[in-house]
Amino acid sequence: MTEPPTKAADYAAGDLEEIAKRAEDYWATGFLVPPSSIDLYVVAIKALARERKR
């Protein structure tokens, strides 16, 4: 049996910031989410990272 996918709660703030940066860098390729949703995705991930830093 394989392990379940990692949950957002398992990521540290720095990990989330890196994911957001990669998403911004690769928005045109559809990395992680469709290009039309990338702005919202990046904002959400950055907000979660800020909350984790608190």
Side-chain angles (χ1 to χ4, degrees):
M1 183 170 165
T2 61
E3 292 185 32
T6 303
K7 298 177 184 172
D10 295 335
Y11 290 100
D15 298 330
L16 294 168
E17 290 171 334
E18 180 59 31
I19 291 168
K21 182 185 179 323
R22 286 186 303 171
E24 286 177 314
D25 291 345
Y26 298 110
W27 70 269
T29 65
F31 173 75
L32 296 176
V33 295
S36 61
S37 300
I38 197 68
D39 292 338
L40 179 59
Y41 178 80
V42 168
V43 168
I45 293 295
K46 286 181 176 182
L48 184 56
R50 281 192 302 272
E51 287 298 314
R52 293 274 164 82
K53 285 183 176 182
R54 290 183 182 189

